[in-house]
Amino acid sequence: MKKALVLIDFQNDFINGSLGTKEAQIIVSSVLDKLTHYHDGALLATQDTHLENYLQTQEGKNLPILHCQKGSKGWEIHPQAQLFVYEKIFEKSTFASVELAEYIQNQEFEQVELIGLCTDICVVSNALLIKAYAPEIEIFIDASCCAGTTLEAHSSALDTMASCQIKIFNQQ
């Protein structure tokens, strides 16, 4: 069975930077442990990527906090997560990556697992986009390796994904 593990936006700005949260900091060791022990297939990642014009974009007007500016420390993937070899890293300027969804569809994966940040924004967006592009692929979310902007938002996003036939495990 062809599998992939996708690390979503596990970047400094979402962990301890401009949009960092206590919830994100709590899952760091679980994410690193999962990456260390993953040997079942492809390892992929996404990287939220904004340019100097971020505050003029639709997202920037709604979330006027500079974050994940390309080339900055906050844009970088967590230092310990950089030690792993990723088959591909998808830079994206919006919540979900069409390029990631197309890649997963074209590589004919049978099973995809997503972990990372933020459950209620980029994890759910990518999971639903992958589901739309490749409806027959089994999609899993390890809830213990995801964190939302709040605990309530995390829980709501997990419920939304579960209602769309995405399998959630390790949910507290």
Side-chain angles (χ1 to χ4, degrees):
M1 176 179 288
K2 193 168 180 185
K3 298 180 182 181
L5 176 65
V6 184
L7 180 65
I8 303 290
D9 296 359
F10 201 63
Q11 294 163 263
N12 295 323
D13 269 348
F14 294 127
I15 298 168
N16 54 18
S18 60
L19 291 173
T21 64
K22 173 183 63 165
E23 291 81 12
Q25 292 167 20
I26 289 170
I27 69 161
V28 168
S29 62
S30 297
V31 168
L32 295 174
D33 185 60
K34 180 166 282 274
L35 292 172
T36 299
H37 294 98
Y38 184 76
H39 305 291
D40 294 339
L43 185 56
L44 308 172
T46 65
Q47 201 168 9
D48 197 36
T49 303
H50 299 296
L51 304 176
E52 291 178 11
N53 71 335
Y54 171 74
L55 293 175
Q56 284 75 50
T57 67
Q58 188 65 29
E59 181 184 330
K61 291 174 185 173
N62 288 288
L63 179 64
I65 299 171
L66 291 175
H67 66 282
C68 299
Q69 193 164 10
K70 188 169 182 156
S72 71
K73 184 83 171 154
W75 173 73
E76 294 176 1
I77 292 174
H78 183 279
Q80 289 173 278
Q82 289 181 33
L83 302 176
F84 298 91
V85 177
Y86 297 89
E87 184 171 301
K88 192 159 173 62
I89 297 175
F90 300 87
E91 291 182 14
K92 59 185 190 54
S93 62
T94 187
F95 304 135
S97 171
V98 170
E99 186 183 2
L100 169 66
E102 289 174 340
Y103 185 82
I104 287 171
Q105 178 188 44
N106 293 335
Q107 294 297 310
E108 298 180 356
F109 289 106
E110 296 169 60
Q111 193 176 88
V112 174
E113 180 180 341
L114 282 74
I115 59 173
L117 304 166
C118 293
T119 316
D120 51 312
I121 302 173
C122 294
V123 174
V124 67
S125 296
N126 280 286
L128 293 173
L129 191 61
I130 293 166
K131 190 69 166 167
Y133 268 74
E136 295 303 315
I137 291 176
E138 281 189 297
I139 302 172
F140 293 86
I141 305 293
D142 184 343
S144 70
C145 291
C146 293
T149 54
T150 66
L151 290 174
E152 296 80 15
H154 170 75
S155 181
S156 293
L158 294 174
D159 290 345
T160 296
M161 289 185 280
S163 71
C164 293
Q165 301 174 357
I166 294 168
K167 296 172 177 79
I168 311 299
F169 67 101
N170 289 334
Q171 189 170 3
Q172 315 292 355

